[in-house]
């Protein structure tokens, strides 16, 4: 299988972390692409020109990080990221909340590419408020995430590092001591260290 990705993308990073946590590194080839450059390889896998995209061995492709992580989770019994039974929807609820906050953060980042005079301040403020509300909700949930690695933990860890990486002015740690303490520990996981992006102005 081939995973199409770009290092700064938090959504592609989510899948790369899942690959490592599931012990699937030997089964997946990483292929770096440029989603902003109409990359032919990416367009063949995803006509939306978005990453990540996973090309399966039979030639089919899966798009969207949540779908890909769900697929990868089914390939190995190692470290189940999405548990079965009643806990499944608890984990998915936290995972989707963290992912929604991440999407708002990415919207803020992309808006900053526009010249300052045409930036939509009302839209930016709406995203900032969504981030603030989402973090407050996650602050109350972080202690219940559990010790075993899950998709919720991966999404949350990547969200918080993305805020540090791209939106440091938000100072998300203020008022979120539980998240701050959790993130400090989670950031040391080998999968997080191995996938941490370097500075890149295009993401």
């Amino acid at each position: 299988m081939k995973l199409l990705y770009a290092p700064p993308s938090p959504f592609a990073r989510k899948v790369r972390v899942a690959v490592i946590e599931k012990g699937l590194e030997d089964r997946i080839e990483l292929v770096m692409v440029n989603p902003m450059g109409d990359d032919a390889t990416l367009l063949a896998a995803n006509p939306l020109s978005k990453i990540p995209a996973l090309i399966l061995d039979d030639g089919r492709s899966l798009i969207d990080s949540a779908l890909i992580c769900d697929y990868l989770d089914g390939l190995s019994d190692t470290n189940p990221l999405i548990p079965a039974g009643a806990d499944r929807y608890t984990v998915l609820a936290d995972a989707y909340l963290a992912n929604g906050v991440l999407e708002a953060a990415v919207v803020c980042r992309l808006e900053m590419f526009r010249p300052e005079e045409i930036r939509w301040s009302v839209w930016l403020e709406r995203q900032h408020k969504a981030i603030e509300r989402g973090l407050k909700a996650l602050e109350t949930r972080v202690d219940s995430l559990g010790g075993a690695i899950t998709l919720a933990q991966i999404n949350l860890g990547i969200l918080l590092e993305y805020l540090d990486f791209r939106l440091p002015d938000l100072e998300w740690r203020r008022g979120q001591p539980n998240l701050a303490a959790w993130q400090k520990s989670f950031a040391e996981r080998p999968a997080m260290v191995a996938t941490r992006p370097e500075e890149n102005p295009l993401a």
Side-chain angles (χ1 to χ4, degrees), residues 3-17 31-36 42 49-53 64-65 68 99 102-103 106 109-110 154 158-159 161-163 165-166 192 195-203:
L3 177 64
L4 309 185
Y5 81 107
S9 166
F11 302 107
R13 186 185 181 197
K14 181 198 312 183
V15 176
R16 293 170 63 209
V17 169
V31 179
M32 195 179 306
V33 295
N34 178 8
M36 303 301 289
L42 177 58
S49 193
K50 291 183 177 182
I51 51 175
D64 191 276
S65 59
I68 295 172
N99 193 74
L102 177 60
E103 289 176 344
V106 171
R109 170 66 179 171
L110 294 176
I154 292 173
I158 288 173
L159 159 64
E161 286 201 10
Y162 186 82
L163 293 176
F165 186 47
R166 292 308 190 199
M192 293 293 287
T195 59
R196 190 161 291 135
E198 298 179 356
E199 179 63 30
N200 185 320
L202 296 179

Side-chain angles (χ1 to χ4, degrees), residues 80 82-93:
I82 305 172
D87 289 341
R88 172 180 177 83
Y89 292 100
T90 299
V91 167
L92 287 177

Side-chain angles (χ1 to χ4, degrees), residues 22 70 73 79-93 95 145 148-153:
K22 295 291 294 182
D70 191 12
D73 200 30
N79 295 340
L81 303 179
I82 305 172
D87 289 341
R88 172 180 177 83
Y89 292 100
T90 299
V91 167
L92 287 177
L145 289 180
I149 185 71
T150 65
L151 184 60
Q153 292 183 1

Side-chain angles (χ1 to χ4, degrees), residues 170-184:
L170 293 184
E171 298 181 332
W172 66 265
R173 289 174 178 81
R174 291 192 303 176
Q176 272 79 232
N178 294 333
L179 285 178
W182 180 88
Q183 188 272 336
K184 184 177 181 180

Side-chain angles (χ1 to χ4, degrees), residues 53-199:
L54 181 67
I55 302 176
L56 306 182
D57 291 334
D58 62 6
R60 292 178 299 152
S61 60
L62 300 178
I63 62 174
D64 191 276
S65 59
L67 174 61
I68 295 172
C69 285
D70 191 12
Y71 178 81
L72 295 176
D73 200 30
L75 295 181
S76 166
D77 292 334
T78 301
N79 295 340
L81 303 179
I82 305 172
D87 289 341
R88 172 180 177 83
Y89 292 100
T90 299
V91 167
L92 287 177
D94 290 337
Y96 278 93
L97 175 57
N99 193 74
V101 179
L102 177 60
E103 289 176 344
V106 171
V107 167
C108 291
R109 170 66 179 171
L110 294 176
E111 186 70 18
M112 300 309 291
F113 283 109
R114 294 158 61 95
E116 187 171 359
E117 63 272 15
I118 61 171
R119 289 176 191 165
W120 192 2
S121 59
V122 174
W123 181 241
L124 273 173
E125 181 63 22
R126 181 174 176 82
Q127 304 310 312
H128 287 166
K129 288 181 178 178
I131 294 170
E132 180 181 354
R133 292 192 301 266
L135 289 175
K136 286 182 178 179
L138 290 164
E139 171 75 3
T140 67
R141 300 186 190 187
V142 68
D143 288 340
S144 64
L145 289 180
I149 185 71
T150 65
L151 184 60
Q153 292 183 1
I154 292 173
N155 285 7
L156 180 57
I158 288 173
L159 159 64
L160 297 178
E161 286 201 10
Y162 186 82
L163 293 176
D164 283 337
F165 186 47
R166 292 308 190 199
L167 301 172
D169 291 345
L170 293 184
E171 298 181 332
W172 66 265
R173 289 174 178 81
R174 291 192 303 176
Q176 272 79 232
N178 294 333
L179 285 178
W182 180 88
Q183 188 272 336
K184 184 177 181 180
S185 174
F186 191 79
E188 296 175 357
R189 293 186 71 87
M192 293 293 287
V193 174
T195 59
R196 190 161 291 135
E198 298 179 356
E199 179 63 30

